[in-house]
Amino acid sequence: MIPVQDEKPCHICHQSSSVFFQDQRTFFKCHECSLIFTLDAPGKEAEETHYKNQWATTDPDFWEKQVDVLLQLIDNYRKPSRILDFGSGSGEMTNEFRKRGYDVTPLEPMTHGYLKDQSYPVKFDVVIAVEVIEHLLEPWKEIHEIEKVLAPDGIVIFSSLLTNAFIDRSDASEQFKNWWYKDDPTHVSFFCNRVLAKMADMKNYDIDIIGDKVFVLKLK
């Protein structure tokens, strides 16, 4: 039996979470919503070096395809007029949107500072967070900041590889051990449909889940 001191509060629903898997890092799983998370994150300098190395190895064609997919998805909800690229990295996705005539504002903490420190003159009808939420130790804090800059009828598009494929299996911890997505040292929070349902219930959101990698959040 895992000692009580090894229990941690879930970063989403705040319920008890116990050790789920250990290697170089310790991962916890929430008993209530099944969020998997770790408190072991790299320091700021190591984190920034890691991100910049990733930016340098991105295939330029990737962003054209990424924007094609995002525009098709956005079209299911609205015609975008003001887009926030939240966690914009090197700015390549922002640039691709702008090439196509869209009004896009990039927000990369290493370049522009954190969202809580920004003062935008208008709100955004679309916020895009591609491969961002899994990097957040405190997801609610950033989501609440996004709410402040989101237009009343706006949407937030998140992409992050979900744990649906294995989270309910009897050998889930073994599956997680072999899951490449957890090996990125900057990935600290891992979501599944159950977590997203809990988030929707807690905050009265509408959340549409598309496949095992994308979900769209709307305020009610």
Side-chain angles (χ1 to χ4, degrees), residues 121-182:
V122 295
K123 293 196 173 185
F124 301 94
D125 48 33
V126 178
V127 176
I128 299 172
V130 172
E131 297 288 315
V132 172
I133 199 167
E134 68 276 6
H135 298 273
L136 304 179
L137 283 167
E138 299 179 291
W140 281 130
K141 282 191 176 182
E142 293 301 330
I143 292 172
H144 291 158
E145 293 301 324
I146 289 173
E147 285 186 32
K148 295 175 185 178
V149 302
L150 187 67
D153 58 347
I155 61 171
V156 188
I157 300 174
F158 291 97
S159 75
S160 182
L161 190 56
L162 304 178
T163 61
N164 293 332
F166 61 82
I167 195 67
D168 291 323
R169 291 180 51 153
S170 59
D171 63 343
S173 60
E174 186 66 22
Q175 294 292 319
F176 185 75
K177 173 184 176 181
N178 298 318
W179 193 42
W180 66 272
Y181 202 63
K182 67 114 173 50

Side-chain angles (χ1 to χ4, degrees), residues 33-209:
C33 73
S34 297
L35 179 78
I36 298 173
F37 64 94
T38 181
L39 304 177
D40 301 320
K44 185 175 181 180
E45 184 175 340
E47 182 181 63
E48 290 188 1
T49 298
H50 180 81
Y51 290 150
K52 289 175 181 177
N53 286 340
Q54 286 187 322
W55 299 347
T57 57
T58 302
D59 180 355
D61 291 341
F62 169 83
W63 295 112
E64 290 186 22
K65 296 173 184 175
Q66 183 77 70
V67 170
D68 286 341
V69 171
L70 287 168
L71 287 173
Q72 289 177 11
L73 177 58
I74 293 168
D75 189 56
N76 292 329
Y77 294 90
R78 59 174 305 115
K79 186 163 184 67
S81 56
R82 295 178 302 276
I83 300 172
L84 177 66
D85 183 0
F86 179 72
S88 56
S90 61
E92 291 179 80
M93 188 169 76
T94 291
N95 291 337
E96 183 61 32
F97 270 109
R98 286 175 173 173
K99 285 180 188 176
R100 304 185 193 200
Y102 292 94
D103 179 1
V104 183
T105 299
L107 188 283
E108 169 52 50
M110 287 191 290
T111 306
H112 311 104
Y114 293 101
L115 183 55
K116 65 181 180 64
D117 300 318
Q118 307 304 310
S119 180
Y120 298 121
V122 295
K123 293 196 173 185
F124 301 94
D125 48 33
V126 178
V127 176
I128 299 172
V130 172
E131 297 288 315
V132 172
I133 199 167
E134 68 276 6
H135 298 273
L136 304 179
L137 283 167
E138 299 179 291
W140 281 130
K141 282 191 176 182
E142 293 301 330
I143 292 172
H144 291 158
E145 293 301 324
I146 289 173
E147 285 186 32
K148 295 175 185 178
V149 302
L150 187 67
D153 58 347
I155 61 171
V156 188
I157 300 174
F158 291 97
S159 75
S160 182
L161 190 56
L162 304 178
T163 61
N164 293 332
F166 61 82
I167 195 67
D168 291 323
R169 291 180 51 153
S170 59
D171 63 343
S173 60
E174 186 66 22
Q175 294 292 319
F176 185 75
K177 173 184 176 181
N178 298 318
W179 193 42
W180 66 272
Y181 202 63
K182 67 114 173 50
D183 294 330
D184 185 317
T186 63
H187 289 185
V188 295
S189 299
F190 305 97
F191 297 74
C192 66
N193 286 8
R194 192 175 299 113
V195 183
L196 301 179
K198 175 61 72 171
M199 291 170 65
D201 183 59
M202 289 175 67
K203 300 296 181 180
N204 199 30
Y205 297 146
D206 282 328
I207 296 181
D208 297 333
I209 304 169

Side-chain angles (χ1 to χ4, degrees), residues 26-37:
T26 299
F27 297 87
F28 298 85
K29 179 185 173 186
C30 176
H31 299 300
E32 176 70 19
C33 73
S34 297
L35 179 78
I36 298 173
F37 64 94

